[in-house]
Amino acid sequence: MSIKGKKKVVVVTAYDYPTAKAVDEAGVDIILVGDSLGMTVLGLPSTLQVTMDDMLRHTAAVARAEPKALLVADMPFGSFEIDDKEAMRNAVEFLRVGADAVKIEGGSEYADVVRNIVRGGVPVMGHVGLTPQMHKRLGGYRLMGRTAEEAAGIVRDAEDIAEAGAFSIVIEYTASEVAAEITKRVAVPTICIGSGPNCDGQVLVFHDIVGLSANPPPFAKQYVNLHDIIRDAIAKYRSEVESGLFPEKSRYWKMKEGELDRLLKMLYSRPED
Ligand code: KIV
């Protein structure tokens, strides 16, 4: 039974074991191992440099947290565009390391790729609107669908991806009316990021939520500033080490009574003594 219309779907990214544990305990519906890990975790300039190896390693780490949430992994740039066989082989790799589904960026032109992977047994989440893997072709990371022509193209993209068998569709950084129209027209849940409230759910990047992103997008909301909390904790540790306050007596242990004398004898007595 579809969740559409019953409750808002809450999606957040995670890229490692401890984060996945915390995110899952918070009760989200879907954990996305996004290729945003290129920027958030690996310090890369964009998602274009993210490889299958990167994605598989991080997906496996998240899977080891055994989340209750559905685990979706992003298929990285270059992993599904070349031909159907390679796309299927790569999609299968994600299920082998513990993902429940994959996400593919792209509109109508990738409908057949989505259809083929779904037919092969791998559930697919679509991703339309701003598709960062195509930022060079799209003219940067910009708000999409502000004109009727561009908006109509995005609506068609979403309908084709839904028709191809995607179980859900991410709509990124479109004018809010476009996301609302898609949400009305497709039977599967839409998950928005930067595309307004009239969607079936929302997704945010973990590092944006917790204040660990160097360049958060304008639509992200920061709920805590972990960067400052971490910096202050590490600065305190540094100062305690430098001043001798750390480690305290409760954090180190002594030898058994009399054993130090025996050790010193062993170490410093000459054999003839
Ligand atoms: O890579 C990612 O984190 C994403 C989300 C922004 C939807 O694709």
Side-chain angles (χ1 to χ4, degrees):
M1 204 200 315
S2 171
I3 200 169
K4 192 173 173 95
K6 297 204 177 68
K7 86 174 270 296
K8 287 278 186 184
V9 183
V10 183
V11 186
V12 70
T13 67
Y15 317 99
D16 60 41
Y17 177 88
T19 310
K21 283 266 184 213
V23 161
D24 197 50
E25 278 174 28
V28 302
D29 300 297
I30 299 178
I31 295 179
L32 171 66
V33 185
D35 60 353
S36 50
L37 78 83
M39 292 89 88
T40 57
V41 173
L42 303 178
L44 295 169
S46 77
T47 57
L48 300 186
Q49 295 78 25
V50 176
T51 64
M52 273 298 291
D53 282 350
D54 294 331
M55 290 306 303
L56 290 174
R57 186 169 302 114
H58 285 271
T59 302
V62 170
R64 277 180 223 118
E66 298 181 0
K68 285 196 211 69
L70 193 81
L71 175 46
V72 180
D74 249 336
M75 293 198 64
F77 182 58
S79 68
F80 59 89
E81 300 89 336
I82 295 164
D83 64 48
D84 278 357
K85 266 196 194 147
E86 192 169 339
M88 188 66 219
R89 202 177 304 118
N90 284 331
V92 166
E93 287 298 306
F94 282 105
L95 262 55
R96 290 212 168 113
V97 299
D100 298 308
V102 298
K103 177 164 79 58
I104 289 182
E105 288 187 17
S108 309
E109 59 196 334
Y110 288 101
D112 284 341
V113 176
V114 170
R115 200 184 323 278
N116 190 49
I117 292 175
V118 172
R119 192 191 304 120
V122 179
V124 175
M125 176 181 253
H127 185 154
V128 301
L130 174 62
T131 44
Q133 292 175 9
M134 289 178 207
H135 71 274
K136 288 193 186 284
R137 194 177 92 185
L138 296 174
Y141 301 98
R142 64 176 178 85
L143 180 62
M144 305 288 296
R146 296 198 75 198
T147 64
E149 289 76 16
E150 192 170 81
I154 299 168
V155 172
R156 210 172 311 117
D157 284 339
E159 287 180 326
D160 288 349
I161 293 299
E163 190 276 324
F167 71 90
S168 173
I169 301 176
V170 168
I171 307 173
E172 180 164 355
Y173 207 18
T174 68
S176 59
E177 300 90 329
V178 182
E181 189 58 31
I182 294 171
T183 302
K184 263 196 273 166
R185 294 169 78 101
V186 299
V188 295
T190 57
I191 311 295
C192 284
I193 175 160
S195 302
N198 297 317
C199 309
D200 298 307
Q202 297 288 327
V203 53
L204 280 180
V205 165
F206 174 81
H207 288 63
D208 295 341
I209 294 177
V210 301
L212 285 175
S213 292
N215 287 309
F219 47 75
K221 182 167 175 187
Q222 184 184 307
Y223 287 79
V224 64
N225 188 341
L226 273 196
H227 177 276
D228 287 4
I229 292 172
I230 292 170
R231 182 202 55 210
D232 293 350
I234 302 301
K236 188 155 185 228
Y237 161 66
R238 176 178 61 75
S239 100
E240 288 193 0
V241 170
E242 287 171 355
S243 68
L245 257 176
F246 179 87
E248 304 89 338
K249 278 213 162 86
S250 60
R251 295 185 212 279
Y252 60 89
W253 293 267
K254 298 273 194 185
M255 295 177 76
K256 286 183 177 169
E257 190 77 38
E259 292 300 305
L260 177 61
D261 284 348
R262 289 195 340 102
L263 171 68
L264 293 178
K265 269 200 198 109
M266 279 179 203
L267 296 177
Y268 294 104
S269 318
R270 287 189 305 255
E272 64 271 17
D273 286 347

